Amino acid sequence: MDAETVLGMGKYAVHVWGAYGLCFIVFAGLLTSAVCKLHKLGKDVKK
Amino acid sequence: MNLSYFANPAHFEKLAKVVLPLLSTLCIILLPVGLVDALIISPPDYQQGDAVRIMYVHVPSAWLSMAIYAACGIAAIIGIVWKHTLAELFLRAALPVGAAATALCLITGMLWGKPMWGTWWVWDARLTSVLVLMFIYIATIALLDAFDRPEQGGQAAAWMTVIGLVNLPIIKYSVEWWNTLHQPSSLSSLKRMMNPAMAGDMLRPLLVMTVGLTCLAAIIVILRLKAEMLARKKAVKGI
């Protein structure tokens, strides 16, 4: 498998990487916000 | 032991302690494997080329948007019938995750539709019914905090969720009831799963990504639910 297939995705590069990038941002954001919220509330309740 | 056993916050905490490491392990294994398979190993489609790879995030997000709504529907019914606090907290935890999955489904669908159909959007039955699901999610989330007392908001959101359940079969069967530009389901039933209208090389990353992203969404919902429980505890304590 050459680098062009992996990174280039031919003429659909923007669409494919856009879809995967968006999914990554959304799921990473949801996970990070859930962990941070849980951490902060955990500290508040323990006080 | 019945379902109500886990509706007890203490029992839920115990269950979460067991389930979270399991889901995390599955996620850590399945998502990298699925991504490598989806982006590198699986072949491009003979007609769609590499654009077919969008399917490996579009289909899981579509599945999640409906599965999370169905789970919210069950929680809403439990909340209405038994007035269980955990059911309301589940709605608060899961609805934004479902709305995010629905938005992802719509946007990745548009990103796939433009090169394949030549347009970002058509007012086709499948696309429109998923857009309606997005509006139902937004309306229900808005209802949660529309009252002075959170319990009232929870009850209103639960009723809204139950009413919105009618949209799920419409989404599922929209491609059969109407002539749509959107293709019919390739994996709609167990019989279809056994004889799928898809090459094995494409079915494999699709299933791995679907299970991996479902585990990730479940982790996020459980963490958010734990946070909602702590927030409620904090409010009761008056901290």
Side-chain angles (χ1 to χ4, degrees):
Chain A
M1 193 67 52
D2 57 17
E4 196 189 331
T5 314
V6 178
L7 298 171
M9 298 294 166
K11 56 182 175 177
Y12 304 121
V14 175
H15 297 264
V16 175
W17 288 116
Y20 279 79
L22 191 68
C23 282
F24 175 78
I25 291 166
V26 169
F27 279 108
L30 283 169
L31 187 62
T32 311
S33 89
V35 170
C36 291
K37 195 175 171 187
L38 190 59
H39 181 67
K40 187 188 174 296
L41 284 164
K43 276 207 299 194
D44 289 351
V45 172
K46 264 186 192 167
K47 268 181 197 169
Chain B
M1 193 188 303
N2 57 24
L3 201 63
S4 62
Y5 176 86
F6 297 111
N8 177 309
H11 295 156
F12 169 77
E13 286 281 357
K14 270 188 203 166
L15 178 75
K17 264 188 187 158
V18 178
V19 171
L20 274 177
L22 279 175
L23 289 173
S24 305
T25 312
L26 270 175
C27 233
I28 290 166
I29 296 168
L30 291 177
L31 283 180
V33 170
L35 280 171
V36 169
D37 206 354
L39 289 167
I40 303 170
I41 300 171
S42 70
D45 185 71
Y46 80 105
Q47 280 183 321
Q48 301 188 32
D50 284 309
V52 77
R53 299 184 200 281
I54 297 173
M55 172 177 73
Y56 308 123
V57 285
H58 174 70
V59 174
S61 50
W63 145 255
L64 278 176
S65 67
M66 292 178 69
I68 293 173
Y69 197 87
C72 287
I74 294 168
I77 292 168
I78 292 172
I80 291 167
V81 176
W82 288 288
K83 305 256 185 296
H84 208 290
T85 317
L86 205 61
E88 181 215 321
L89 296 182
F90 181 82
L91 290 184
R92 287 180 184 277
L95 283 169
V97 183
T102 312
L104 276 178
C105 170
L106 288 168
I107 297 169
T108 55
M110 288 161 84
L111 286 167
W112 197 6
K114 179 63 180 168
M116 293 305 111
W117 297 340
T119 179
W120 297 101
W121 184 265
V122 279
W123 291 103
D124 151 291
R126 171 58 69 85
L127 277 70
T128 308
S129 54
V130 175
L131 183 65
V132 170
L133 179 68
M134 182 79 216
F135 292 151
I136 293 171
Y137 267 122
I138 293 169
T140 316
I141 293 166
L143 267 179
L144 277 170
D145 291 316
F147 295 84
D148 290 336
R149 289 175 55 225
E151 300 80 22
Q152 276 181 316
Q155 281 291 303
W159 278 107
M160 181 71 200
T161 308
V162 172
I163 293 165
L165 277 174
V166 76
N167 193 38
L168 291 191
I170 295 175
I171 295 174
K172 169 117 178 61
Y173 294 107
S174 58
V175 285
E176 292 170 26
W177 291 342
W178 293 282
N179 283 323
T180 57
L181 190 55
H182 193 284
Q183 67 158 73
S185 173
S186 305
L187 304 162
S188 55
S189 63
L190 196 62
K191 195 177 158 195
R192 204 90 160 101
M193 289 271 268
M194 294 297 144
N195 190 17
M198 192 187 296
D201 283 348
M202 291 177 172
L203 184 62
R204 186 189 57 236
L206 180 61
L207 292 179
V208 173
M209 285 296 287
T210 304
V211 177
L213 285 176
T214 305
C215 291
L216 181 57
I219 292 170
I220 294 168
V221 171
I222 291 172
L223 291 177
R224 285 179 57 87
L225 182 51
K226 281 165 72 98
E228 288 295 339
M229 285 162 67
L230 282 178
R232 190 56 61 92
K233 201 186 264 183
K234 188 180 160 189
V236 170
K237 277 185 174 178
I239 302 169

